[in-house]
Amino acid sequence: MRLLVLLVLVGAAVAMPPKDGRIIGGTECKPNSQPWMASLNYGYHFCGAVLINEQWLLSVAHCWYNPYSMQIMLGEHDVRVFEGTEQLMKTNTIVWHPSYNYQTLDHDIMMIKLFHPVTITNAVRPVALPSACPVSGTPCTVAGWGTTQVEPESSVGTAFPQ
Ligand SMILES: [Ca+2]
């Protein structure tokens, strides 16, 4: 599964959310062009996160997993192959939004503190956080290890393709 990127318009994404909650149609990223992306895994990738400074990540609360079992991989492109740019991290501190509701997914945000700060490299670097909310219609990038196409009806429910 390689890192994918989607370019969307903020206004369009808000006005027309996909029916099933997925964003389909991305393209494979240039390796390490999204150096703030992290893969959360426990033997395999299960969720993405974003490095917001040298020791904290932002993700969604519904991706919570036992912090003592979870690994955080930074500097990833292909999560199935060792590429020499990865930094494996652990955590014991996960903070949910205090109003997170697992049934409605309201306030679906969590913060993950790494045991140690990352080493800043060309493949691992915090994202530049905005100083204000974006204006409707502002282009933005969505990145993650997802799928680039809709699966045929017959394969619905199978693992995501690369
Ligand atoms: Ca890799």
Side-chain angles (χ1 to χ4, degrees):
M1 209 180 282
R2 296 185 175 137
L3 186 60
L4 307 173
V5 65
L6 297 161
L7 293 175
V8 297
L9 297 177
V10 171
V14 171
M16 298 179 295
K19 282 183 179 176
D20 63 359
R22 295 182 187 179
I23 301 173
I24 303 290
T27 57
E28 183 177 338
C29 295
K30 178 181 171 195
N32 308 121
S33 62
Q34 309 294 314
W36 36 83
M37 288 300 299
S39 168
L40 308 181
N41 76 69
Y42 53 96
Y44 59 89
H45 166 83
F46 70 93
C47 267
V50 177
L51 187 68
I52 60 168
N53 68 27
E54 293 179 7
Q55 204 164 357
W56 284 91
L57 296 142
L58 175 68
S59 189
V60 291
H62 73 260
C63 285
W64 182 90
Y65 193 78
N66 181 339
Y68 299 102
S69 302
M70 185 170 68
Q71 298 176 326
I72 298 115
M73 292 295 290
L74 291 125
E76 276 288 11
H77 178 66
D78 187 333
V79 294
R80 299 167 303 184
V81 177
F82 179 71
E83 298 150 302
T85 55
E86 297 91 341
Q87 293 182 37
L88 172 63
M89 299 295 200
K90 295 287 289 177
T91 181
N92 66 355
T93 305
I94 295 178
V95 182
W96 285 347
H97 188 289
S99 299
Y100 171 57
N101 182 318
Y102 73 93
Q103 293 177 316
T104 64
L105 298 181
D106 287 344
H107 308 286
D108 190 10
I109 298 172
M110 72 175 174
M111 303 290 295
I112 301 168
K113 185 178 184 184
L114 302 173
F115 268 135
H116 306 286
V118 299
T119 300
I120 302 296
T121 66
N122 287 338
V124 178
R125 187 176 69 236
V127 71
L129 293 174
S131 57
C133 291
V135 175
S136 179
T138 303
C140 67
T141 300
V142 177
W145 288 270
T147 183
T148 56
Q149 58 189 357
V150 177
E151 298 169 44
E153 293 270 336
S154 60
S155 67
V156 170
T158 62
F160 286 162
Q162 60 180 336

XYZ file of all heavy atoms in Angstrom, residues 76 78 81 83 86, ligand 1:
43
model
N 7.318 6.834 5.840
C 6.830 5.728 5.013
C 6.418 6.191 3.622
O 5.960 7.324 3.437
C 5.597 5.090 5.663
C 5.883 4.064 6.702
C 6.413 2.757 6.115
O 6.748 2.700 4.922
O 6.512 1.802 6.888
N 5.849 3.059 0.880
C 5.234 1.742 0.723
C 5.314 1.038 2.076
O 6.408 0.705 2.533
C 5.972 0.947 -0.353
C 5.273 -0.368 -0.691
O 4.567 -0.920 0.187
O 5.450 -0.834 -1.828
N 7.227 -2.426 2.418
C 8.629 -2.570 2.035
C 9.491 -1.657 2.887
O 9.130 -0.492 3.114
C 8.801 -2.188 0.542
C 10.265 -2.253 0.130
C 7.941 -3.079 -0.339
N 12.263 0.862 3.198
C 12.868 1.749 2.195
C 14.039 2.553 2.762
O 14.667 3.317 2.039
C 11.788 2.703 1.648
C 10.673 1.948 0.948
C 9.330 2.649 1.031
O 8.838 2.915 2.151
O 8.757 2.931 -0.029
N 12.239 5.078 7.064
C 11.240 4.938 8.117
C 11.822 5.196 9.510
O 12.991 4.940 9.765
C 10.650 3.515 8.096
C 9.909 3.167 6.842
C 10.784 2.528 5.774
O 12.038 2.669 5.846
O 10.236 1.904 4.868
Ca 8.319 1.425 3.851
